[in-house]
Amino acid sequence: MSQIDSRYSIADFIEKTKQKDRGQGLFELESERILEVNLDSMVWTKMGSMISYNGDIRFTREKILEHGIGKLLKKAVSGEGTQLTKAEGCGQLYLADEGKKISILQLENESIYVNGNDVLAFEPTLDWDIKMMKKMAAMLSGGLFNVRLEGTGLLAITSHYDPMTLLVEPGKPVITDPNATIAWSGDLMPEFKTDISVKTFFGRGSGESLQMKFEGSGFVVVQPYEEVYFQNTSST
């Protein structure tokens, strides 16, 4: 019979993994990949992100015209994958999204663009809108559409692994891979460019290498993971 090791007892497991109240306010990180919302009114959450809750909380899928006909039409055209759920009531709500890392941002009369798939939750005090990137006809992809959030309130976004923020300064543009770009400051508007040298090196059959170019003053957030948003639709 093996010797009993208390490090692996059920009691020890519970102690190490049990929920902990940190008193950090409305949004707090229960872990790097689980967001706790100390709900006392209402928040918007990404549909399907609820993993647990306690208390009296009601969930309502956003109505077709909840945010006006303009946003409805943009969603229909863009195929934007983000659908929202309204969580209302009092209690503790726990959110996660495919094990991705969560970052909490406090906007103070500021604006930010976030890839639609990376918006996890936000306060209703933030205004939001779906924005279409330029050169849509040339790239036809759901990744062309991002969400612009503006105002004062809390926002939780997700990333695959640890995000990295790059500062954009006048005269020092930042170039990123669209599939690894998850957010950027609201006063920046990227331009899409094609890396001709990459296309030439690998041959026409391999498709084009698309890049995002940010110029001005602000920041860009990237992740060490490339999600498939942009696809080559041209024939070889």
Side-chain angles (χ1 to χ4, degrees):
M1 183 176 180
S2 60
Q3 185 177 0
I4 296 176
D5 191 334
S6 61
R7 293 178 302 168
Y8 306 121
S9 67
I10 290 179
D12 185 66
F13 173 79
I14 292 174
E15 180 60 30
K16 289 179 179 178
T17 62
K18 71 180 181 181
Q19 183 270 334
K20 300 175 178 63
D21 289 318
R22 294 178 170 81
Q24 297 175 350
L26 177 62
F27 285 6
E28 65 179 62
L29 291 177
E30 184 61 30
S31 72
E32 289 187 339
R33 306 179 192 281
I34 299 177
L35 176 70
E36 177 180 312
V37 181
N38 295 299
L39 192 62
D40 62 0
S41 56
M42 189 273 275
V43 295
W44 287 106
T45 68
K46 182 177 182 179
M47 181 174 291
S49 63
M50 186 276 289
I51 60 172
S52 181
Y53 74 91
N54 60 62
D56 181 14
I57 300 177
R58 301 172 301 282
F59 300 92
T60 307
R61 181 175 178 173
E62 72 173 312
K63 299 176 182 178
I64 293 179
L65 296 177
E66 181 93 34
H67 302 288
I69 188 67
K71 290 177 184 176
L72 171 65
L73 292 176
K74 289 179 183 178
K75 281 194 172 185
V77 171
S78 69
E80 175 63 47
T82 299
Q83 290 184 300
L84 300 175
T85 298
K86 183 188 299 182
E88 298 177 279
C90 294
Q92 282 72 48
L93 170 62
Y94 299 95
L95 306 175
D97 185 14
E98 298 181 346
K100 294 196 291 184
K101 187 166 185 177
I102 300 169
S103 299
I104 300 174
L105 305 176
Q106 171 69 64
L107 273 61
E108 297 184 10
N109 196 27
E110 297 167 297
S111 60
I112 187 172
Y113 286 90
V114 183
N115 185 294
N117 192 48
D118 295 317
V119 176
L120 181 63
F122 59 91
E123 288 191 84
T125 54
L126 293 177
D127 293 325
W128 67 275
D129 196 7
I130 296 173
K131 296 294 183 179
M132 182 181 69
M133 298 295 99
K134 296 180 179 179
K135 300 184 180 179
M136 171 186 174
M139 286 167 255
L140 295 180
S141 165
L144 291 168
F145 296 86
N146 295 273
V147 180
R148 187 178 194 273
L149 299 108
E150 182 176 16
T152 298
L154 288 169
L155 163 67
I157 65 174
T158 60
S159 63
H160 287 279
Y161 312 106
D162 294 331
M164 177 178 70
T165 299
L166 302 167
L167 298 181
V168 182
E169 301 176 354
K172 297 180 180 180
V174 171
I175 312 298
T176 66
D177 181 334
N179 297 327
T181 306
I182 62 174
W184 59 90
S185 49
D187 51 355
L188 295 180
M189 181 54 66
E191 292 185 0
F192 286 97
K193 61 189 295 285
T194 302
D195 190 332
I196 301 299
S197 62
V198 172
K199 175 184 176 182
T200 303
F201 180 78
F202 287 106
R204 293 183 60 187
S206 64
E208 299 179 344
S209 175
L210 297 176
Q211 300 174 347
M212 298 176 79
K213 182 179 182 179
F214 294 87
E215 293 186 283
S217 297
F219 63 87
V220 183
V221 184
V222 295
Q223 62 184 2
Y225 183 94
E226 295 182 41
E227 297 191 73
V228 181
Y229 298 126
F230 293 80
Q231 298 178 350
N232 175 36
T233 57
S234 61
S235 59
T236 58

